[in-house]
């Protein structure tokens, strides 16, 4: 119960900071045209990860205009479809604090790049990945809608009621970020 209260306090503090630092409106087409580095937080839920993996398998291996940094649990490392210019950063179960935030060492490794976009593929709130997206300072931050989503993301996707529609939601993110797929 105390951890839930601490998380609530942390979320309220972040919410107040985001109101003070509101960047205002962004030009979506200008922001998308400048995307070269993308932070992509993959789902922690294995069923959702499998759907995301299926979508990511279609990424064009020759698309060198977009470099993706994948953040995922350690046990998924070898399952992530990887292009030669992408990087995969994984974390094990001990890499989080009692509120679900990642360790400072891991955060520093992730944020050692300047990202133009960040996407969180977790359909349920994950404090660690949500906070990474926010701290990335990417002009485009995409995540699924939940009570405090506006604190972390500037583009919210409505969570599909049916898990069978999740692929479409992930493909929408792929299209928003203008990441090329292999043409059939």
């Amino acid at each position: 119960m105390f951890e839930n209260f601490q998380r609530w306090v942390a979320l309220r503090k972040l919410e107040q900071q985001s109101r003070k630092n509101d960047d205002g409106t962004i030009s979506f087409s200008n922001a998308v045209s400048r995307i070269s580095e993308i932070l992509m937080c993959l789902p922690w839920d294995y069923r959702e990860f499998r759907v995301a993996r299926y979508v990511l398998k279609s990424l064009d291996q020759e698309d060198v205009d977009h470099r993706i940094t994948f953040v995922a649990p350690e046990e998924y490392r070898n399952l992530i479809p990887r292009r030669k210019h992408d990087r995969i950063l994984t974390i094990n179960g001990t890499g989080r604090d009692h509120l679900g935030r990642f360790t400072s060492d891991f955060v520093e490794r992730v944020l050692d790049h300047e990202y133009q976009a960040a996407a969180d593929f977790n359909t349920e709130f994950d404090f660690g990945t949500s906070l990474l997206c926010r701290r990335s300072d990417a002009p485009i931050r995409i995540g699924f809608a939940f009570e405090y989503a506006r604190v972390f993301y500037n583009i919210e996707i409505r969570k599909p009621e049916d898990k069978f529609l999740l692929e479409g939601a992930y493909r929408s993110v792929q299209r928003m970020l203008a990441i090329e797929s292999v043409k059939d």
Side-chain angles (χ1 to χ4, degrees):
M1 185 164 130
F2 185 65
E3 288 175 2
N4 287 338
F5 177 73
Q6 286 179 308
R7 184 175 294 170
W8 179 83
V9 169
L11 286 168
R12 297 295 294 174
K13 185 176 178 182
L14 284 167
E15 185 177 38
Q16 290 171 349
Q17 287 173 350
S18 70
R19 285 186 190 144
K20 288 179 193 173
N21 302 331
D22 188 12
D23 297 336
T25 306
I26 63 167
S27 169
F28 186 75
S29 57
N30 286 344
V32 168
S33 68
R34 294 189 200 125
I35 294 175
S36 60
E37 293 278 342
I38 300 168
L39 171 63
M40 190 172 290
C41 299
L42 296 177
W44 255 239
D45 178 83
Y46 185 69
R47 288 173 294 182
E48 292 176 10
F49 172 79
R50 286 180 43 207
V51 176
R53 180 176 177 256
Y54 176 76
V55 170
L56 296 172
K57 280 179 150 182
S58 71
L59 294 182
D60 187 349
Q61 294 293 318
E62 305 306 315
D63 177 10
V64 294
D65 295 333
H66 301 97
R67 181 176 173 199
I68 302 172
T69 297
F70 294 104
V71 172
E74 178 65 39
E75 60 266 24
Y76 299 166
R77 173 183 286 285
N78 295 324
L79 302 174
I80 300 169
R82 184 177 185 175
R83 302 172 310 163
K84 60 185 167 208
H85 52 282
D86 293 339
R87 69 181 184 151
I88 299 171
L89 299 177
T90 59
I91 193 157
N92 61 29
T94 61
R96 292 182 185 242
D97 68 10
H98 64 285
L99 296 178
R101 297 174 298 198
F102 296 117
T103 61
S104 58
D105 291 344
F106 184 74
V107 171
E108 285 176 22
R109 278 190 16 224
V110 173
L111 300 180
D112 68 353
H113 284 66
E114 184 176 321
Y115 299 103
Q116 292 78 42
D120 186 350
F121 276 23
N122 289 285
T123 62
E124 298 297 324
F125 173 65
D126 182 289
F127 201 12
T129 57
S130 298
L131 199 52
L132 267 182
C133 286
R134 177 185 164 86
R135 292 197 53 206
S136 74
D137 289 329
I140 297 174
R141 295 181 314 278
I142 304 169
F144 285 90
F146 62 91
E147 184 179 358
Y148 290 99
R150 68 187 172 282
V151 172
F152 302 99
Y153 316 115
N154 54 13
I155 299 173
E156 294 176 41
I157 299 171
R158 193 172 276 149
K159 184 169 89 173
E161 292 180 27
D162 188 335
K163 291 285 186 186
F164 291 109
L165 302 175
L166 191 54
E167 178 185 347
Y170 290 154
R171 289 208 187 275
S172 294
V173 173
Q174 181 184 352
R175 284 190 298 276
M176 277 189 256
L177 299 177
I179 304 171
E180 296 294 321
S181 291
V182 176
K183 309 283 188 262
D184 290 326

